[in-house]
Amino acid sequence: MRLLVTGAAGFIGSHFVRLALERAPGAHVVVLDALRYSGHLSTMQDFWEQVRFYPGVVQDPTLVGHVIEVEKVTHVVNFAAESHNDRSLQDNGAFVHTNTFGVQVLLDQARRHGVEKVVQVSTDEVYGSIAEGDFTEDSPLRPNTPYAASKAGGDLLARAHHVAFRTPVVVTRGGNTYGPFQYPEKLIPFFLTRLLDGKKVPLYGDGGQVREWIHARDHAAGVWAALERGAPGEAYNVGDANERTNAEVVRVLLEETERDESFVKRIPDPRAGAHDQRYSMDCAKARRDLGWAPEVPFETALRETARWYRENEWWWRPLVEDDAYRQFVHSFYGPTLAEDL
Ligand code: DAU
């Protein structure tokens, strides 16, 4: 297998490369990553010597075509994405560009160069929010944020490419993912890094929103199973039924960082009407057709993740001290809040 992994300097993509190198030791692995704000060479440090790296964006057809051709790529997995909902509320142009247009470029180039299989890594957020029950792969796509809509664009392009051109593309829709190497803007790493630094954390609204959590390694294994056994044209839900309210997750983070409730600042919900109340997926199809099942126990692994952040400050400290990061926190949470937080 000659595998191109896009977005591997990011969170889930890097876990996927580690898993791919374990599962297919002789595989030739090529990484394409734009090294935008959330992608870092430090994230790839442990496997850097085992991959070929190309800097660049997935929406560049010349570059993507060149990489596929010179590296004789047979399989492509696309993790490249703008992934933060809050940022998409500030400016969503980059989201459409990478998450929708980028997928079109990648699929066109894969098709043109006869790639054997493509996996488009999508998200459960394409379904929108569900009050009761679970989303299946046949549920309608009703995204509620510009981020989720841009991912739905990529997801639907994958489907259409298969219908129109028989491009061998499979879609995975993953749940909220946690684990080491997650950029400190998402709930868990944002809160952990702040709490470790003795700063307050901003919980949106009443903290009653429910997310379905899956460990990055299990998510990566679901994508790997889709690459190996997924049927072209099909989508597979990749979740782990660990439904928790944000407040419940935050309680564990407080315990692990030895902070009390006074560190939690409840703020008016900045996502307001676009804040999905609950995500929940039925993953029977992936279990049945891909032979995949999550293995990492949530409570233990969440605590291990907290310990990882405590022990791996070398990785996150430069990220939170970066000017652009501080500016984002400042502009999104507000000047007074940013200081107070
Ligand atoms: O469900 C899959 C999705 O999970 C992925 O497609 C997205 O890329 C990923 O960002 C994540 O989306 P969420 O919006 O659910 O993740 P986030 O960590 O940003 O927020 C999780 C919950 O925590 C959400 O209800 C909002 C809340 N939250 C988040 C932040 C950053 C807070 O209360 N305070 C915060 O500061």
Side-chain angles (χ1 to χ4, degrees):
M1 182 190 297
R2 298 182 69 87
L3 179 62
L4 170 62
V5 186
T6 63
F11 171 44
I12 313 173
S14 67
H15 282 269
F16 179 81
V17 169
R18 285 184 198 98
L19 188 103
L21 291 168
E22 269 172 47
R23 300 257 170 112
H28 180 68
V29 180
V30 182
V31 167
L32 173 68
D33 198 295
L35 299 179
R36 285 258 303 142
Y37 75 91
S38 62
H40 293 271
L41 295 179
S42 58
T43 305
M44 301 195 289
Q45 197 169 282
D46 56 312
F47 58 76
W48 177 250
E49 311 246 301
Q50 298 170 73
V51 300
R52 287 290 299 274
F53 176 68
Y54 289 82
V57 296
V58 282
Q59 54 273 31
D60 178 345
T62 312
L63 174 64
V64 172
H66 170 78
V67 172
I68 293 177
E69 199 176 314
V70 300
E71 298 292 344
K72 299 184 173 52
V73 169
T74 57
H75 294 71
V76 175
V77 182
N78 182 31
F79 288 94
E82 294 290 332
S83 70
H84 195 36
N85 272 305
D86 292 337
R87 287 183 191 256
S88 83
L89 297 174
Q90 283 191 321
D91 174 12
N92 58 70
F95 287 75
V96 176
H97 215 59
T98 304
N99 302 352
T100 307
F101 180 56
V103 176
Q104 182 240 308
V105 169
L106 210 54
L107 290 172
D108 278 354
Q109 293 303 320
R111 176 173 167 242
R112 174 170 302 180
H113 294 279
V115 166
E116 290 169 29
K117 197 142 182 199
V118 181
V119 178
Q120 167 57 20
V121 179
S122 187
T123 164
D124 60 358
E125 294 202 14
V126 297
Y127 297 120
S129 189
I130 189 164
E132 282 173 15
D134 308 310
F135 289 118
T136 71
E137 290 80 355
D138 294 327
S139 300
L141 304 195
R142 291 202 178 106
N144 292 318
T145 66
Y147 157 70
S150 67
K151 287 296 286 184
D155 191 312
L156 290 172
L157 274 170
R159 175 194 144 80
H161 240 266
H162 178 258
V163 174
F165 310 123
R166 311 313 293 171
T167 309
V169 55
V170 178
V171 170
T172 57
R173 297 183 183 138
N176 274 67
T177 308
Y178 70 100
F181 294 112
Q182 187 171 26
Y183 185 76
E185 65 183 352
K186 307 287 163 63
L187 178 75
I188 291 175
F190 183 45
F191 278 29
L192 280 174
T193 51
R194 292 191 71 87
L195 290 168
L196 287 168
D197 270 349
K199 294 177 179 163
K200 292 191 176 177
V201 291
L203 187 62
Y204 301 168
D206 64 1
Q209 289 80 19
V210 174
R211 294 292 179 266
E212 180 184 358
W213 294 97
I214 180 170
H215 193 272
R217 191 176 165 83
D218 280 335
H219 190 160
V223 175
W224 179 260
L227 181 67
E228 280 199 316
R229 296 182 288 281
E234 294 294 322
Y236 299 91
N237 288 343
V238 176
D240 189 18
N242 299 304
E243 290 187 33
R244 299 287 189 284
T245 64
N246 295 334
E248 284 169 334
V249 169
V250 171
R251 243 192 316 276
V252 177
L253 305 184
L254 290 174
E255 272 175 39
E256 286 301 316
T257 52
E258 296 170 358
R259 306 287 180 203
D260 61 28
E261 279 288 335
S262 69
F263 280 83
V264 179
K265 181 160 182 141
R266 289 172 193 261
I267 63 168
D269 194 339
R271 297 188 189 179
H275 199 166
D276 289 335
Q277 183 61 28
R278 175 173 173 261
Y279 299 138
S280 182
M281 288 183 289
D282 177 334
C283 299
K285 183 177 173 186
R287 287 172 181 264
R288 186 187 63 232
D289 296 353
L290 303 180
W292 165 84
E295 292 172 355
V296 182
F298 179 66
E299 281 284 335
T300 324
L302 181 57
R303 290 179 192 277
E304 276 168 17
T305 300
R307 282 197 287 280
W308 187 87
Y309 278 87
R310 187 192 289 282
E311 288 161 12
N312 289 278
E313 206 177 315
W314 68 272
W315 182 78
W316 60 265
R317 176 67 61 198
L319 309 185
V320 303
E321 283 181 354
D322 181 71
D323 280 348
Y325 179 85
R326 287 170 190 263
Q327 266 161 29
F328 168 71
V329 173
H330 196 272
S331 69
F332 189 76
Y333 295 98
T336 324
L337 208 55
E339 271 153 26
D340 184 37
L341 284 168

